[in-house]
Amino acid sequence: MADKMKDVVVIGGGVVGTSILRKLSYYDLDIALVEKQPDVCEGSSKANSGIVHTGFDAPPNTVEAEALKRSRELWPQLVEDLKIPFIPCGAVMIATSEEEKEIIEKKYIPNAEANGVEVSWISREEILEMNPAVTDKVIGGLLIEGESICDPFTATRSHAELAALNGAEIYLGAGVVNIEKCSEGLKLILEDGKEIMTRYAVNAAGLYSDQIARLIGDESFTITPRKGQFLLTEERVEISQVILPVPTPKSKGTLVSPVAFGGFLLGPTAEDQEDKTDFSTTEEGLEKVLAGCEKLVPGSREYESIRQFAGLRAVCSTGDYVIRPSEADKRLVHAAGIRSTGLSASPGIAELVAEQLQSVGLELIEKEDALYETPNLFDDSEEDQTGEIVCLCRSITRGEIENALKSPLPPTTIDGIKRRTGATLGDCQGNCCIPKILEIMEEHGVSSDRPLKGLQKSYLTVGRGNN
Ligand SMILES: Cc1cc2nc3c(=O)[nH]c(=O)nc-3n(C[C@H](O)[C@H](O)[C@H](O)COP(=O)(O)OP(=O)(O)OC[C@H]3O[C@@H](n4cnc5c(N)ncnc54)[C@H](O)[C@@H]3O)c2cc1C
């Protein structure tokens, strides 16, 4: 770990932390990111609906609405610059009764207008033409043309990779366990006892951002987890847009959506819980998903699911994003309480955080040689065109896996390979290709007696045999 004083260290490598790191990497600063897990995108950022929301339903005049508004402007260029898989498919909120139509007219249309988001009421025929699988009980719906879907894994990683190319340091497996306030800066103490001195730190620790705040005596907000369970299917569902129900006060409801990297997603639930480590799926939760989706897209119940998973939203006691310097020590700037829109709002949050850092004294001078666009790092290798297919379900080649292992932020886990290449995402979920992938990782110097699936201690094997 470098001894030199950093200008800024971002704590947390989710989509929010990496987006902030990318933004700061455009300036003449010595910056780093510390992430507890062995890879970026291992928190809420890996288990969400993958929708780039417009903010049509965000509470107006909130920090969240402001971050989403800025993000609407920033996404189109970012998608180009960072090569993020992105489908501008639009979304439609389905009304199946006059009561639901009235909620849309009285609540969602005025809310969208207050936030400057274009929406329009469309007919039952228009909905069914674009989405034949939608229930024939539909009487019309709200078209939110600006809603899109993206690959959240690439979104998160591509921020980190561009920042790394711009000179940012990224420390993985580096959880912050303590922060000491010193006259010259903040001393971050990591799990393994290493220390990093920094003039400023950004708290982007997601579900754990309240615990990071507590390390400097800040008790101004609390984060509680709200679980969302999902089912993923590879069946052909005849929808071309994100199909939304009319939301409840607690959640946007279970939706049916195309997935940017293939297949269709059903979910999520909204279940408040205490435990920040409980990502389990349950029969009851998945039944709720199926029952909700069946109302929107009849037949959902019959889809064969290739995967079930859950993510946890960071629900904040303040009811809004917390993007400001800590009152306990202004050198720690919070990017916390980023609930269910953080993927969409991450570019705007990065701008807001940069402004907050400026407001407490950080000078932002643009670098002359900063990269704003991820360069093409690899030519299509020989193997990509002619060679060995490693993942049969998704036709992923050896060359694609090798390129991932040579990238600016190389993976050290199977999930890291999955999120960079798509290998193991298909029907067999890695049953056929994991041994081959481990072999290739070993050839590239990523070897371990106990390879990890993804998270800390998620060992794939119990150890290596003698032959
Ligand atoms: C079910 C569900 C559906 C969602 N759907 C959408 C959607 O469609 N569109 C959308 O825009 N948003 C959606 N979201 C919300 C979105 O996923 C989150 O808002 C976003 O991922 C938050 O990003 P983050 O970087 O703040 O948190 P995280 O991704 O959780 O990242 C925080 C990181 O901090 C690390 N960390 C924690 N403690 C420490 C420490 N002490 N030291 C170092 N590192 C630490 C964690 O390991 C983690 O990697 C959804 C969320 C869920 C759960």
Side-chain angles (χ1 to χ4, degrees):
M1 194 83 39
D3 292 322
K4 202 174 147 232
M5 167 86 85
K6 297 277 169 214
D7 290 311
V8 187
V9 174
V10 178
I11 304 169
V15 71
V16 170
T18 58
S19 183
I20 295 166
L21 191 73
R22 170 195 51 77
K23 173 77 182 161
L24 295 177
S25 79
Y26 302 151
Y27 302 103
D28 200 4
L29 296 170
D30 196 348
I31 57 171
L33 179 143
V34 285
E35 165 55 52
K36 180 165 69 175
Q37 296 296 340
D39 200 356
V40 295
C41 202
E42 279 291 2
S44 308
S45 302
K46 76 172 174 188
N48 53 53
S49 312
I51 299 170
V52 179
H53 298 293
T54 51
F56 78 97
D57 54 349
N61 307 315
T62 54
V63 183
E64 181 181 11
E66 172 63 19
L68 285 162
K69 180 172 160 237
R70 291 183 184 220
S71 300
R72 286 200 296 278
E73 307 285 318
L74 294 167
W75 266 101
Q77 191 61 49
L78 264 186
V79 166
E80 292 292 317
D81 289 348
L82 304 188
K83 303 178 175 60
I84 301 172
F86 182 91
I87 305 174
C89 54
V92 61
M93 188 185 282
I94 299 294
T96 54
S97 65
E98 285 303 325
E99 290 76 25
E100 286 185 345
K101 184 177 179 196
E102 204 179 316
I103 294 174
I104 289 176
E105 283 170 349
K106 291 210 170 132
K107 181 167 178 195
Y108 289 99
I109 294 179
N111 201 93
E113 280 166 2
N115 286 338
V117 179
E118 219 170 279
V119 293
S120 57
W121 177 263
I122 57 169
S123 67
R124 162 194 161 83
E125 289 71 30
E126 286 170 289
I127 293 171
L128 290 172
E129 195 185 319
M130 288 182 283
N131 307 287
V134 161
T135 175
D136 62 8
K137 293 197 180 100
V138 60
I139 61 168
L142 186 70
L143 175 68
I144 313 112
E145 216 165 354
E147 301 266 306
S148 308
I149 54 171
C150 82
D151 170 354
F153 309 138
T154 309
T156 306
R157 193 186 64 252
S158 61
H159 292 301
E161 286 182 344
L162 188 61
L165 290 169
N166 278 329
E169 290 177 60
I170 298 177
Y171 301 109
L172 300 172
V176 172
V177 289
N178 212 348
I179 302 178
E180 280 175 23
K181 299 180 196 176
C182 310
S183 54
E184 64 277 30
L186 297 170
K187 188 192 279 179
L188 308 185
I189 298 149
L190 305 182
E191 272 164 331
D192 61 3
K194 290 188 180 130
E195 296 172 352
I196 310 183
M197 277 299 294
T198 183
R199 290 170 59 214
Y200 299 92
V202 175
N203 174 11
L207 283 170
Y208 298 90
S209 49
D210 54 350
Q211 293 180 14
I212 294 293
R214 300 297 180 272
L215 296 179
I216 58 154
D218 180 342
E219 307 216 343
S220 60
F221 63 92
T222 303
I223 303 290
T224 48
R226 182 172 292 163
K227 186 191 279 183
Q229 302 190 39
F230 291 99
L231 288 146
L232 184 64
T233 179
E234 292 221 310
E235 299 220 13
R236 192 173 141 56
V237 183
E238 288 205 296
I239 56 166
S240 59
Q241 296 175 308
V242 179
I243 309 299
L244 305 167
V246 176
T248 66
K250 222 168 110 181
S251 121
K252 291 180 195 297
T254 54
L255 51 86
V256 185
S257 173
V259 178
F261 45 82
F264 292 86
L265 199 60
L266 282 66
T269 53
E271 305 160 59
D272 289 316
Q273 60 184 40
E274 297 284 316
D275 188 349
K276 292 183 179 180
T277 60
D278 174 7
F279 294 89
S280 59
T281 53
T282 61
E283 207 178 325
E284 194 194 353
L286 296 173
E287 173 49 34
K288 264 192 204 149
V289 169
L290 290 173
C293 293
E294 184 72 27
K295 284 189 201 149
L296 297 173
V297 175
S300 295
R301 201 173 267 295
E302 310 310 321
Y303 298 147
E304 198 173 316
S305 150
I306 59 160
R307 188 169 175 77
Q308 301 97 37
F309 62 96
L312 300 180
R313 307 165 183 88
V315 179
C316 189
S317 53
T318 65
D320 194 3
Y321 289 4
V322 180
I323 301 180
R324 55 166 173 78
S326 168
E327 274 142 34
D329 191 320
K330 294 202 181 315
R331 296 171 296 182
L332 180 73
V333 169
H334 298 307
I338 315 295
R339 196 177 51 118
S340 44
T341 46
L343 170 63
S344 318
S346 52
I349 294 172
E351 272 196 4
L352 291 169
V353 167
E355 288 167 16
Q356 293 296 320
L357 284 164
Q358 242 177 338
S359 77
V360 289
L362 181 71
E363 218 182 340
L364 297 181
I365 300 165
E366 277 185 37
K367 272 186 203 158
E368 276 177 19
D369 57 351
L371 288 173
Y372 288 83
E373 202 179 323
T374 310
N376 278 329
L377 295 167
F378 308 106
D379 291 335
D380 282 346
S381 65
E382 189 77 349
E383 289 92 340
D384 273 337
Q385 291 156 27
T386 58
E388 184 185 344
I389 305 264
V390 175
C391 166
L392 294 172
C393 302
R394 290 286 171 111
S395 301
I396 308 298
T397 62
R398 168 186 271 273
E400 287 170 273
I401 291 169
E402 291 187 332
N403 283 349
L405 289 162
K406 290 185 261 171
S407 65
L409 193 63
T412 57
T413 64
I414 285 292
D415 284 350
I417 293 279
K418 170 174 85 178
R419 296 189 194 119
R420 284 161 180 79
T421 65
T424 81
L425 268 174
D427 243 349
C428 89
Q429 292 285 293
N431 280 330
C432 302
C433 58
I434 285 176
K436 187 76 210 172
I437 294 172
L438 289 175
E439 239 178 79
I440 299 171
M441 288 171 81
E442 192 158 351
E443 285 166 27
H444 285 260
V446 187
S447 73
S448 159
D449 280 351
R450 299 179 77 190
L452 290 175
K453 180 180 179 300
L455 297 177
Q456 282 175 330
K457 300 185 185 155
S458 60
Y459 304 115
L460 277 169
T461 62
V462 289
R464 200 177 286 261
N466 288 332
N467 47 27

Short mmCIF file of all heavy atoms in Angstrom, two decimals, residues 11-17 34-37 42-45 47-51 53 174-176 204-206 208 212 228 230 268 311-313 338-344, ligand 1:
data_model
loop_
_atom_site.label_atom_id
_atom_site.label_comp_id
_atom_site.label_asym_id
_atom_site.label_seq_id
_atom_site.Cartn_x
_atom_site.Cartn_y
_atom_site.Cartn_z
N ILE A 11 -14.36 5.06 -0.51
CA ILE A 11 -14.59 3.81 0.21
C ILE A 11 -15.82 3.12 -0.40
O ILE A 11 -16.94 3.63 -0.29
CB ILE A 11 -14.83 4.07 1.72
CG1 ILE A 11 -13.65 4.85 2.32
CG2 ILE A 11 -15.05 2.74 2.47
CD1 ILE A 11 -13.92 5.39 3.73
N GLY A 12 -15.61 1.99 -1.08
CA GLY A 12 -16.72 1.24 -1.68
C GLY A 12 -16.66 1.24 -3.19
O GLY A 12 -16.60 2.29 -3.83
N GLY A 13 -16.65 0.01 -3.75
CA GLY A 13 -16.52 -0.15 -5.21
C GLY A 13 -17.81 -0.64 -5.84
O GLY A 13 -17.80 -1.52 -6.69
N GLY A 14 -18.93 -0.04 -5.46
CA GLY A 14 -20.18 -0.27 -6.19
C GLY A 14 -20.26 0.75 -7.31
O GLY A 14 -19.30 1.49 -7.58
N VAL A 15 -21.43 0.81 -7.96
CA VAL A 15 -21.55 1.71 -9.11
C VAL A 15 -21.39 3.18 -8.68
O VAL A 15 -20.89 4.00 -9.44
CB VAL A 15 -22.88 1.45 -9.87
CG1 VAL A 15 -24.10 1.92 -9.09
CG2 VAL A 15 -22.85 2.08 -11.25
N VAL A 16 -21.77 3.47 -7.44
CA VAL A 16 -21.65 4.85 -6.97
C VAL A 16 -20.18 5.22 -6.74
O VAL A 16 -19.68 6.22 -7.25
CB VAL A 16 -22.51 5.05 -5.68
CG1 VAL A 16 -22.21 6.38 -5.02
CG2 VAL A 16 -23.99 4.93 -6.02
N GLY A 17 -19.47 4.35 -6.00
CA GLY A 17 -18.05 4.63 -5.71
C GLY A 17 -17.21 4.68 -6.97
O GLY A 17 -16.36 5.57 -7.13
N VAL A 34 -10.96 1.96 -2.18
CA VAL A 34 -10.78 0.73 -1.40
C VAL A 34 -12.09 -0.03 -1.35
O VAL A 34 -13.14 0.54 -1.06
CB VAL A 34 -10.27 1.01 0.04
CG1 VAL A 34 -8.81 1.39 0.04
CG2 VAL A 34 -11.10 2.09 0.74
N GLU A 35 -12.04 -1.31 -1.67
CA GLU A 35 -13.23 -2.15 -1.70
C GLU A 35 -12.96 -3.41 -0.87
O GLU A 35 -11.95 -4.07 -1.05
CB GLU A 35 -13.58 -2.51 -3.17
CG GLU A 35 -14.56 -3.66 -3.35
CD GLU A 35 -15.89 -3.48 -2.60
OE1 GLU A 35 -16.52 -2.44 -2.75
OE2 GLU A 35 -16.27 -4.42 -1.85
N LYS A 36 -13.91 -3.69 0.00
CA LYS A 36 -13.79 -4.83 0.93
C LYS A 36 -13.73 -6.17 0.21
O LYS A 36 -12.99 -7.07 0.58
CB LYS A 36 -15.01 -4.77 1.85
CG LYS A 36 -15.10 -5.82 2.89
CD LYS A 36 -16.11 -5.45 3.95
CE LYS A 36 -17.55 -5.46 3.47
NZ LYS A 36 -18.53 -5.21 4.54
N GLN A 37 -14.51 -6.32 -0.86
CA GLN A 37 -14.63 -7.61 -1.55
C GLN A 37 -13.50 -7.79 -2.57
O GLN A 37 -12.81 -6.84 -2.91
CB GLN A 37 -15.99 -7.70 -2.23
CG GLN A 37 -17.17 -7.68 -1.26
CD GLN A 37 -17.19 -8.89 -0.33
OE1 GLN A 37 -16.57 -9.93 -0.59
NE2 GLN A 37 -17.87 -8.75 0.79
N GLU A 42 -19.75 -5.96 -6.09
CA GLU A 42 -20.15 -7.13 -5.31
C GLU A 42 -21.25 -6.80 -4.30
O GLU A 42 -21.66 -7.65 -3.54
CB GLU A 42 -18.94 -7.74 -4.58
CG GLU A 42 -18.08 -8.63 -5.46
CD GLU A 42 -18.76 -9.94 -5.87
OE1 GLU A 42 -19.92 -10.15 -5.51
OE2 GLU A 42 -18.11 -10.73 -6.58
N GLY A 43 -21.73 -5.54 -4.26
CA GLY A 43 -22.80 -5.17 -3.33
C GLY A 43 -24.13 -5.06 -4.06
O GLY A 43 -24.42 -5.84 -4.98
N SER A 44 -24.93 -4.05 -3.71
CA SER A 44 -26.25 -3.86 -4.35
C SER A 44 -26.11 -3.71 -5.86
O SER A 44 -27.02 -4.06 -6.61
CB SER A 44 -26.92 -2.59 -3.83
OG SER A 44 -26.96 -2.60 -2.44
N SER A 45 -24.96 -3.21 -6.30
CA SER A 45 -24.78 -2.93 -7.73
C SER A 45 -24.80 -4.17 -8.60
O SER A 45 -24.95 -4.08 -9.81
CB SER A 45 -23.47 -2.17 -7.94
OG SER A 45 -23.49 -0.98 -7.19
N ALA A 47 -26.93 -6.83 -8.04
CA ALA A 47 -28.21 -7.57 -7.97
C ALA A 47 -29.36 -6.58 -8.00
O ALA A 47 -29.98 -6.29 -6.99
CB ALA A 47 -28.26 -8.40 -6.69
N ASN A 48 -29.59 -6.02 -9.18
CA ASN A 48 -30.69 -5.07 -9.32
C ASN A 48 -31.42 -5.32 -10.64
O ASN A 48 -31.08 -6.25 -11.36
CB ASN A 48 -30.18 -3.63 -9.20
CG ASN A 48 -29.05 -3.37 -10.16
OD1 ASN A 48 -29.17 -3.61 -11.35
ND2 ASN A 48 -27.92 -2.91 -9.63
N SER A 49 -32.41 -4.48 -10.94
CA SER A 49 -33.20 -4.71 -12.15
C SER A 49 -32.50 -4.23 -13.41
O SER A 49 -33.00 -4.46 -14.52
CB SER A 49 -34.56 -3.99 -12.04
OG SER A 49 -35.16 -4.26 -10.80
N GLY A 50 -31.41 -3.51 -13.27
CA GLY A 50 -30.64 -3.07 -14.43
C GLY A 50 -31.35 -1.99 -15.24
O GLY A 50 -31.03 -1.77 -16.41
N ILE A 51 -32.29 -1.30 -14.61
CA ILE A 51 -33.03 -0.27 -15.35
C ILE A 51 -32.37 1.10 -15.12
O ILE A 51 -32.02 1.45 -13.99
CB ILE A 51 -34.50 -0.21 -14.89
CG1 ILE A 51 -35.16 -1.56 -15.17
CG2 ILE A 51 -35.26 0.91 -15.60
CD1 ILE A 51 -36.53 -1.73 -14.56
N HIS A 53 -33.35 4.42 -14.81
CA HIS A 53 -34.59 5.17 -14.60
C HIS A 53 -34.42 6.62 -15.00
O HIS A 53 -33.34 7.20 -14.84
CB HIS A 53 -34.98 5.15 -13.11
CG HIS A 53 -35.26 3.79 -12.56
ND1 HIS A 53 -36.33 3.04 -12.94
CD2 HIS A 53 -34.61 3.05 -11.63
CE1 HIS A 53 -36.34 1.89 -12.27
NE2 HIS A 53 -35.28 1.87 -11.48
N ALA A 174 -9.93 -4.87 0.46
CA ALA A 174 -9.36 -3.85 1.34
C ALA A 174 -10.48 -3.13 2.10
O ALA A 174 -10.84 -2.00 1.78
CB ALA A 174 -8.53 -2.85 0.52
N GLY A 175 -11.04 -3.81 3.08
CA GLY A 175 -12.14 -3.24 3.87
C GLY A 175 -11.61 -2.24 4.89
O GLY A 175 -10.62 -2.51 5.58
N VAL A 176 -12.29 -1.11 5.00
CA VAL A 176 -11.91 -0.10 6.01
C VAL A 176 -12.52 -0.52 7.35
O VAL A 176 -13.74 -0.74 7.42
CB VAL A 176 -12.43 1.30 5.60
CG1 VAL A 176 -12.21 2.31 6.71
CG2 VAL A 176 -11.76 1.75 4.30
N ALA A 204 -18.83 5.73 0.15
CA ALA A 204 -19.77 5.14 -0.83
C ALA A 204 -19.91 3.66 -0.51
O ALA A 204 -19.89 2.81 -1.41
CB ALA A 204 -19.25 5.36 -2.25
N ALA A 205 -20.06 3.37 0.78
CA ALA A 205 -20.04 1.97 1.23
C ALA A 205 -21.43 1.33 1.24
O ALA A 205 -21.64 0.29 1.88
CB ALA A 205 -19.39 1.87 2.60
N GLY A 206 -22.37 1.91 0.51
CA GLY A 206 -23.68 1.26 0.33
C GLY A 206 -24.37 0.94 1.64
O GLY A 206 -24.56 1.82 2.49
N TYR A 208 -23.34 -0.32 4.16
CA TYR A 208 -22.48 -0.12 5.35
C TYR A 208 -22.05 1.33 5.50
O TYR A 208 -21.17 1.64 6.30
CB TYR A 208 -21.26 -1.05 5.27
CG TYR A 208 -21.67 -2.50 5.27
CD1 TYR A 208 -21.93 -3.18 4.09
CD2 TYR A 208 -21.86 -3.18 6.47
CE1 TYR A 208 -22.35 -4.50 4.08
CE2 TYR A 208 -22.29 -4.50 6.48
CZ TYR A 208 -22.53 -5.16 5.28
OH TYR A 208 -22.97 -6.46 5.29
N ILE A 212 -19.52 3.29 8.30
CA ILE A 212 -18.35 4.13 7.99
C ILE A 212 -18.52 5.50 8.67
O ILE A 212 -17.58 6.02 9.28
CB ILE A 212 -18.19 4.29 6.46
CG1 ILE A 212 -17.84 2.94 5.80
CG2 ILE A 212 -17.15 5.35 6.11
CD1 ILE A 212 -16.49 2.35 6.14
N GLY A 228 -34.78 -7.54 -2.30
CA GLY A 228 -35.55 -7.74 -3.53
C GLY A 228 -35.15 -9.07 -4.14
O GLY A 228 -33.99 -9.30 -4.43
N PHE A 230 -35.44 -12.00 -7.15
CA PHE A 230 -35.64 -12.05 -8.60
C PHE A 230 -35.62 -13.49 -9.12
O PHE A 230 -34.97 -14.35 -8.53
CB PHE A 230 -34.48 -11.36 -9.33
CG PHE A 230 -34.39 -9.88 -9.18
CD1 PHE A 230 -33.51 -9.32 -8.27
CD2 PHE A 230 -35.15 -9.04 -9.97
CE1 PHE A 230 -33.38 -7.95 -8.15
CE2 PHE A 230 -35.03 -7.66 -9.86
CZ PHE A 230 -34.14 -7.12 -8.95
N PRO A 268 -38.54 -7.18 -8.54
CA PRO A 268 -38.15 -7.78 -7.27
C PRO A 268 -39.25 -7.62 -6.21
O PRO A 268 -40.18 -6.85 -6.39
CB PRO A 268 -36.94 -6.92 -6.88
CG PRO A 268 -37.28 -5.56 -7.43
CD PRO A 268 -38.13 -5.77 -8.65
N GLY A 311 -31.13 -9.07 -4.01
CA GLY A 311 -30.26 -7.93 -3.73
C GLY A 311 -30.84 -7.16 -2.56
O GLY A 311 -32.01 -7.31 -2.24
N LEU A 312 -29.99 -6.34 -1.93
CA LEU A 312 -30.46 -5.54 -0.80
C LEU A 312 -30.34 -4.05 -1.12
O LEU A 312 -29.25 -3.57 -1.46
CB LEU A 312 -29.64 -5.86 0.47
CG LEU A 312 -29.66 -7.31 0.97
CD1 LEU A 312 -28.80 -7.44 2.23
CD2 LEU A 312 -31.08 -7.77 1.26
N ARG A 313 -31.45 -3.33 -1.00
CA ARG A 313 -31.43 -1.88 -1.18
C ARG A 313 -31.00 -1.23 0.13
O ARG A 313 -31.37 -1.72 1.20
CB ARG A 313 -32.82 -1.36 -1.55
CG ARG A 313 -33.48 -2.05 -2.75
CD ARG A 313 -34.96 -1.70 -2.75
NE ARG A 313 -35.75 -2.33 -3.79
CZ ARG A 313 -36.33 -3.52 -3.69
NH1 ARG A 313 -36.19 -4.25 -2.58
NH2 ARG A 313 -37.07 -3.99 -4.66
N ILE A 338 -28.23 5.53 -0.89
CA ILE A 338 -28.56 5.47 -2.32
C ILE A 338 -29.42 4.22 -2.52
O ILE A 338 -28.89 3.11 -2.68
CB ILE A 338 -27.28 5.41 -3.19
CG1 ILE A 338 -26.23 6.44 -2.72
CG2 ILE A 338 -27.62 5.55 -4.66
CD1 ILE A 338 -26.62 7.88 -2.87
N ARG A 339 -30.70 4.42 -2.49
CA ARG A 339 -31.66 3.32 -2.35
C ARG A 339 -31.88 2.57 -3.65
O ARG A 339 -31.01 1.83 -4.12
CB ARG A 339 -32.96 3.91 -1.81
CG ARG A 339 -33.94 2.95 -1.25
CD ARG A 339 -35.12 3.69 -0.69
NE ARG A 339 -35.66 4.64 -1.65
CZ ARG A 339 -36.89 4.58 -2.14
NH1 ARG A 339 -37.69 3.61 -1.77
NH2 ARG A 339 -37.33 5.48 -2.99
N SER A 340 -33.03 2.77 -4.29
CA SER A 340 -33.34 1.88 -5.41
C SER A 340 -33.12 2.50 -6.78
O SER A 340 -33.60 1.99 -7.77
CB SER A 340 -34.77 1.36 -5.28
OG SER A 340 -35.63 2.39 -4.91
N THR A 341 -32.37 3.61 -6.85
CA THR A 341 -32.14 4.23 -8.15
C THR A 341 -30.66 4.52 -8.39
O THR A 341 -30.31 5.30 -9.27
CB THR A 341 -32.92 5.57 -8.24
OG1 THR A 341 -32.70 6.29 -7.02
CG2 THR A 341 -34.40 5.34 -8.43
N GLY A 342 -29.80 3.90 -7.59
CA GLY A 342 -28.38 4.28 -7.60
C GLY A 342 -27.65 3.99 -8.90
O GLY A 342 -26.72 4.72 -9.27
N LEU A 343 -28.07 2.94 -9.60
CA LEU A 343 -27.44 2.65 -10.89
C LEU A 343 -27.72 3.82 -11.84
O LEU A 343 -26.81 4.38 -12.45
CB LEU A 343 -28.00 1.33 -11.44
CG LEU A 343 -27.65 0.97 -12.88
CD1 LEU A 343 -26.14 0.78 -13.04
CD2 LEU A 343 -28.39 -0.30 -13.30
N SER A 344 -28.99 4.20 -11.90
CA SER A 344 -29.40 5.29 -12.79
C SER A 344 -28.76 6.62 -12.40
O SER A 344 -28.37 7.40 -13.26
CB SER A 344 -30.92 5.48 -12.72
OG SER A 344 -31.57 4.26 -12.70
C1 LIG B 1 -33.69 -5.44 -5.78
C2 LIG B 1 -33.05 -4.19 -6.30
C3 LIG B 1 -33.43 -3.63 -7.52
C4 LIG B 1 -32.85 -2.46 -7.97
N1 LIG B 1 -33.15 -1.98 -9.21
C5 LIG B 1 -32.52 -0.88 -9.67
C6 LIG B 1 -32.75 -0.42 -10.99
O1 LIG B 1 -33.44 -1.04 -11.78
N2 LIG B 1 -32.17 0.76 -11.36
C7 LIG B 1 -31.38 1.48 -10.52
O2 LIG B 1 -30.93 2.55 -10.89
N3 LIG B 1 -31.10 1.02 -9.28
C8 LIG B 1 -31.64 -0.13 -8.85
N4 LIG B 1 -31.36 -0.61 -7.60
C9 LIG B 1 -30.51 0.19 -6.73
C10 LIG B 1 -29.05 0.08 -7.05
O3 LIG B 1 -28.67 -1.27 -7.24
C11 LIG B 1 -28.26 0.71 -5.90
O4 LIG B 1 -28.79 1.97 -5.58
C12 LIG B 1 -26.81 0.88 -6.24
O5 LIG B 1 -26.26 -0.33 -6.69
C13 LIG B 1 -26.07 1.36 -5.02
O6 LIG B 1 -24.72 1.41 -5.35
P1 LIG B 1 -23.64 1.68 -4.21
O7 LIG B 1 -22.35 1.79 -4.91
O8 LIG B 1 -24.10 2.80 -3.36
O9 LIG B 1 -23.71 0.40 -3.28
P2 LIG B 1 -23.03 -1.05 -3.44
O10 LIG B 1 -23.13 -1.56 -4.79
O11 LIG B 1 -23.61 -1.88 -2.35
O12 LIG B 1 -21.52 -0.77 -3.16
C14 LIG B 1 -21.01 -0.49 -1.88
C15 LIG B 1 -19.67 -1.17 -1.79
O13 LIG B 1 -19.03 -0.79 -0.58
C16 LIG B 1 -18.28 -1.90 -0.13
N5 LIG B 1 -17.99 -1.72 1.29
C17 LIG B 1 -18.86 -1.81 2.33
N6 LIG B 1 -18.22 -1.59 3.48
C18 LIG B 1 -16.93 -1.34 3.16
C19 LIG B 1 -15.78 -1.06 3.94
N7 LIG B 1 -15.81 -1.00 5.27
N8 LIG B 1 -14.58 -0.87 3.29
C20 LIG B 1 -14.50 -0.95 1.94
N9 LIG B 1 -15.58 -1.24 1.16
C21 LIG B 1 -16.78 -1.41 1.77
C22 LIG B 1 -19.19 -3.07 -0.41
O14 LIG B 1 -18.49 -4.30 -0.45
C23 LIG B 1 -19.78 -2.68 -1.77
O15 LIG B 1 -19.06 -3.21 -2.84
C24 LIG B 1 -31.90 -1.80 -7.15
C25 LIG B 1 -31.49 -2.37 -5.96
C26 LIG B 1 -32.02 -3.58 -5.55
C27 LIG B 1 -31.49 -4.23 -4.31
#
